[in-house]
């Protein structure tokens, strides 16, 4: 007699596909139609009941990383239920599915690996790119959004190679929860160009390319091939770039921003949400945007990118381009940047000052300091993107308050250990005059009998609505006008004129906030002539486009 091999029972496809799986919410009729008879317990629960149970299970996990792992497992099992839980508890869960907890998940990616999600493109095999996308079995009109990263500058943790795919996944989760972008129409991408982190290269379990980062012409060719391939296979998709190294991020955006539908949240999103805070502050200070004077402390790609957007807003408000540029002062490690410096980056040069302009200014070892610049310029806005903790000293804040009746002070570096000044100090040192927004969440500050709500310049307030508006309008590219419209829409959602009021809205009503932002972006795309879809009622079109975490009626496909 021949001994037969044991057979593993098959799991029906409807239970393993997270986009189709409903678990015990499948009705008896659906179970019969899908071949699930006897494969589930008898009871049929509603989605609300499933969400209640899932949230209870989540609360049983200790620590944010454990909660992140649980949510990812739920995401892998039942996508609709995952988004139901995430949407209903967005304020609580946003820092768990994204920054800062996702950073811990990225560091442990290769050791905690469970299942692939997204597309992994290798610089060592660029010829496979089209075939890799083809495995998704999605047609040209089936994809609205692709988030890619090469993971060189992940949040505050730096280069983590292929583990950066979790950034793309997390970003897409926020897009869906906050703006209703259909999760069936998005793709996460890892652009694996290697890693310079020695610990990963030595780790036998590391899952990415085991060599230093590819740079130069080969890197550029890989990025160009990605853009060409993704845009030709999915011509309707917005191509979102995330957590690239600062030099590459700006270069890619400048090279391809007018020819492809690309968006870089680290540059454009951060700039736009900071602009939103500035536009809100204008309502309080009464100084028109065209007359603002901006000092940027930390003149890297992020700081200059924000300066670019504020300058564009000045121009749209009536300032001449030359005038607007002259109203921006950049300070970096060399002090105030001047045209005779030999180490200026190309993007810093337009803002560098004429040396003769600084005749008689005090210098420290030949450099003009932040304090001297503030005293001389009397800026209306002070922006911190330096990651130098405590750089906005009491003297600097007092000088801001002396030169402006309601100075706008924006220490947006993060995490908290790198912030330029704590809001409670800024409020106290300015005697309650400063209008403050930070890059980290901060508790309200009490001063002089008033409670000051401190705005967080959180990109999640802006990029989901910007992305949704781009998709609904079919914009061929993301314009400066669309970014300004998004910023203005966010600013318009608060009344900052009451003493102590926040400059930006909270994240509690993020879905409706994103819808308002998206409608404004559609209007701007129409006005800028880049919209390929022209809905007669942008607000209605936006709400119609928003996916909701509900089970469709009838038998699941």
């Amino acid at each position: 007699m021949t001994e037969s091999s044991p057979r593993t029972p098959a799991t029906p496809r409807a239970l393993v596909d997270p986009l189709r799986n409903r678990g015990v919410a499948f009705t008896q009729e659906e179970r019969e139609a899908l071949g699930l008879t006897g494969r589930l317990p008898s009871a049929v629960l509603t989605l609300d009941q499933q969400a209640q149970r899932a949230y209870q299970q989540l609360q049983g996990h200790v620590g944010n990383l454990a909660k992140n792992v649980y949510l990812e497992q739920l995401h892998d099992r039942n996508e609709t239920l995952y988004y139901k839980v995430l949407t209903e508890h967005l304020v609580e869960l946003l820092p768990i599915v994204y920054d800062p907890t996702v950073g811990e998940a990225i560091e442990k990616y290769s050791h905690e690996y469970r299942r692939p999600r997204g597309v992994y493109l290798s610089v060592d095999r660029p010829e496979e790119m089209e075939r890799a996308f083809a495995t998704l079995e999605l047609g040209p009109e089936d994809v609205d959004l692709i988030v890619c990263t090469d993971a060189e500058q992940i949040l505050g943790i730096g280069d983590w190679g292929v583990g950066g795919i979790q950034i793309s996944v997390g970003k897409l989760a926020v897009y869906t929860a906050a703006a209703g972008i259909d999760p069936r129409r998005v793709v996460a991408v890892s652009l694996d160009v290697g890693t310079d982190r020695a610990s990963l290269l030595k780790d036998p379990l590391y899952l990415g390319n085991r060599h230093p980062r590819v740079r130069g012409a080969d890197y550029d060719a890989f990025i160009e091939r990605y853009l060409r391939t993704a845009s030709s296979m999915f011509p309707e998709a917005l191509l979102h770039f995330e957590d690239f190294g600062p030099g590459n991020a700006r270069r890619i955006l400048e090279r391809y921003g007018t020819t492809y539908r690309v968006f870089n949240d680290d540059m454009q999103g951060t700039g736009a949400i900071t602009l939103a805070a500035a536009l809100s502050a204008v309502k309080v200070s009464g100084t028109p945007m065209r007359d603002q004077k901006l000092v940027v402390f930390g003149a890297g790609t992020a700081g200059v990118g924000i300066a670019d957007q504020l300058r564009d807003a000045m121009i749209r408000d009536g300032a001449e381009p030359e005038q607007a540029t002259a109203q921006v002062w950049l300070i970096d490690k060399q002090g105030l940047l001047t045209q005779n410096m030999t180490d200026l980056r190309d993007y810093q040069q337009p803002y560098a000052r004429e040396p003769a302009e600084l005749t008689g200014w005090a210098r420290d070892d030949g450099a003009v300091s932040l304090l001297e610049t503030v005293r001389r310029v009397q800026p209306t806005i002070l922006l911190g993107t330096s990651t130098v903790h405590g750089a906005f000293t009491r003297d600097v804040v007092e000088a801001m308050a002396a030169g402006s009746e309601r100075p706008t002070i924006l220490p947006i570096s993060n995490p908290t250990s790198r912030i330029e000044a704590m809001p409670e100090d800024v409020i106290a040192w300015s005697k309650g005059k400063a209008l403050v927004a930070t890059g980290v969440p901060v508790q309200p500050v009490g001063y002089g009998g008033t409670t000051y709500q401190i705005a967080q310049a959180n990109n999640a307030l802006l990029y989901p609505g910007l992305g949704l508006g781009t998709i609904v309008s079919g914009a061929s590219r993301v314009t400066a006008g669309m970014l300004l419209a998004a910023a203005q829409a966010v600013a318009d959602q608060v009344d900052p004129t009451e003493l102590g009021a926040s400059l930006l809205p909270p994240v509690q009503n993020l879905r409706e906030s994103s819808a308002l932002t998206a409608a404004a972006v559609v209007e701007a795309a129409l006005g800028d002539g880049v919209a390929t879809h022209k809905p007669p009622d942008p607000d209605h079109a936006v709400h119609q486009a928003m996916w909701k975490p509900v089970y469709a009626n009838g038998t699941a496909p």
Side-chain angles (χ1 to χ4, degrees):
M1 191 170 80
T2 304
E3 185 176 330
S4 61
S5 300
R7 189 172 70 86
T8 302
T11 301
R13 185 177 175 186
L15 293 180
V16 296
D17 182 351
L19 288 168
R20 301 174 66 202
N21 184 23
R22 302 181 185 183
V24 293
F26 280 121
T27 66
Q28 295 299 339
E29 293 78 13
E30 289 167 343
R31 297 178 189 197
E32 184 174 342
L34 293 167
L36 303 179
T37 302
R39 301 303 296 270
L40 293 165
S42 295
V44 176
L45 299 187
T46 66
L47 178 59
D48 285 338
Q49 290 172 318
Q50 287 182 299
Q52 180 183 5
R53 180 179 60 192
Y55 185 68
Q56 288 175 351
Q57 291 173 346
L58 176 68
Q59 297 309 303
H61 292 271
V62 178
N64 285 348
L65 182 59
K67 291 180 178 180
N68 174 279
V69 170
Y70 170 81
L71 287 168
E72 278 303 298
Q73 291 172 334
L74 181 60
H75 196 183
D76 291 341
R77 189 170 71 248
N78 183 332
E79 196 128 330
T80 301
L81 178 56
Y82 167 79
Y83 281 113
K84 175 75 170 175
V85 174
L86 182 56
T87 301
E88 289 186 346
H89 305 278
L90 190 55
V91 175
E92 176 187 350
L93 300 184
L94 195 58
I96 293 174
V97 301
Y98 199 63
D99 185 19
T101 308
V102 72
E104 296 180 66
I106 288 167
E107 291 176 354
K108 300 177 185 299
Y109 178 77
S110 292
H111 288 256
E112 299 286 344
Y113 180 82
R114 290 175 295 278
R115 102 186 254 280
R117 178 176 285 274
V119 174
Y120 301 79
L121 304 177
S122 171
V123 72
D124 298 338
R125 296 179 299 280
E127 72 282 355
E128 294 180 357
M129 202 174 286
E130 189 168 340
R131 278 181 288 151
F133 277 124
T135 64
L136 297 171
E137 299 182 352
L138 295 169
E141 298 179 353
D142 293 339
V143 178
D144 291 329
L145 176 64
I146 302 174
V147 175
C148 75
T149 184
D150 74 352
E152 183 173 6
Q153 194 62 49
I154 296 289
L155 303 169
I157 62 175
D159 174 1
W160 281 88
V162 77
I165 187 72
Q166 291 296 96
I167 277 292
S168 298
V169 172
K171 207 76 175 186
L172 288 172
V174 180
Y175 267 116
T176 295
I181 292 177
D182 192 334
R184 298 166 296 185
R185 300 179 58 84
V186 304
V187 180
V189 170
S190 164
L191 297 174
D192 187 356
V193 298
T195 178
D196 290 337
R197 185 172 291 274
S199 62
L200 293 180
L201 294 174
K202 295 175 183 175
D203 184 353
L205 296 182
Y206 176 60
L207 294 173
N209 284 325
R210 200 178 298 276
H211 57 65
R213 283 186 169 270
V214 171
R215 301 188 185 276
D218 289 342
Y219 176 89
D220 290 345
F222 184 61
I223 296 299
E224 185 171 3
R225 186 168 190 152
Y226 164 72
L227 283 162
R228 189 172 64 248
T229 303
S231 63
S232 63
M233 294 184 71
F234 310 111
E236 301 293 318
L238 172 63
L239 306 180
H240 177 132
F241 282 69
E242 187 72 21
D243 286 346
F244 282 65
N248 287 332
R250 187 177 184 97
R251 191 163 49 82
I252 290 167
L253 185 61
E254 289 181 342
R255 181 177 297 180
Y256 300 111
T258 58
T259 52
Y260 292 97
R261 188 186 286 109
V262 298
F263 169 70
N264 185 302
D265 186 48
D266 302 302
M267 292 183 61
Q268 293 168 297
T270 301
I273 194 61
T274 307
L275 173 58
L279 292 170
S280 194
V282 163
K283 300 174 189 175
V284 183
S285 69
T287 303
M289 197 67 211
R290 61 183 173 272
D291 294 331
Q292 296 290 325
K293 292 188 290 184
L294 168 68
V295 168
V296 179
F297 185 69
T301 55
V304 179
I306 296 169
D308 290 344
Q309 289 199 43
L310 268 67
R311 180 197 57 190
D312 288 345
M314 293 176 196
I315 294 169
R316 282 184 172 257
D317 194 42
E320 292 297 324
E322 226 175 83
Q323 172 199 344
T325 301
Q327 289 168 193
V328 178
W329 286 258
L330 301 183
I331 301 173
D332 212 69
K333 295 173 183 176
Q334 316 94 304
L336 181 64
L337 301 189
T338 56
Q339 292 177 3
N340 60 343
M341 292 179 172
T342 58
D343 54 351
L344 295 181
R345 309 295 290 269
D346 56 351
Y347 54 82
Q348 296 170 332
Q349 289 172 356
Y351 299 108
R353 316 305 296 190
E354 286 277 2
E357 183 184 342
L358 312 182
T359 301
W361 289 33
R363 296 174 183 270
D364 183 9
D365 288 334
V368 176
S369 69
L370 170 61
L371 178 58
E372 177 70 3
T373 303
V374 170
R375 285 173 172 167
R376 294 279 187 168
V377 172
Q378 296 187 330
T380 55
I381 303 173
L382 175 60
L383 171 68
T385 53
S386 67
T387 69
V388 178
H389 184 73
F392 293 175
T393 63
R394 179 170 191 151
D395 286 343
V396 168
V397 173
E398 288 180 344
M400 283 292 297
S404 175
E405 183 58 33
R406 296 302 304 274
T408 301
I409 300 180
L410 308 172
I412 66 168
S413 291
N414 62 75
T416 304
S417 60
R418 297 186 177 185
I419 195 171
E420 287 81 6
M422 293 306 295
E424 58 263 35
D425 292 330
V426 174
I427 296 296
W429 295 338
S430 68
K431 295 183 168 55
K433 293 168 64 175
L435 302 163
V436 184
T438 63
V440 295
V442 176
Q443 292 299 313
V445 173
Y447 177 81
T450 298
T451 299
Y452 291 80
Q453 304 295 328
I454 307 301
Q456 183 189 0
N458 186 335
N459 291 21
L461 290 167
L462 190 136
Y463 73 79
L466 177 69
L468 178 60
T470 304
I471 292 166
V472 170
S473 67
S476 57
R477 58 190 177 89
V478 177
T479 65
M482 291 162 65
L483 291 166
L484 177 57
Q488 189 68 66
V490 173
D492 286 345
Q493 292 172 37
V494 293
D495 177 6
T497 55
E498 184 178 343
L499 187 62
S502 175
L503 294 177
L504 296 169
V507 298
Q508 277 85 346
N509 301 313
L510 198 47
R511 255 181 107 84
E512 187 53 37
S513 171
S514 295
L516 292 169
T517 301
V521 170
V522 173
E523 295 274 14
L526 290 165
D528 286 347
V530 296
T532 59
H533 308 148
K534 300 181 180 180
D537 184 346
D539 184 66
H540 178 73
V542 163
H543 280 91
Q544 285 293 105
M546 294 177 77
W547 178 85
K548 298 176 179 62
V550 296
Y551 294 136
N553 293 328
T555 301

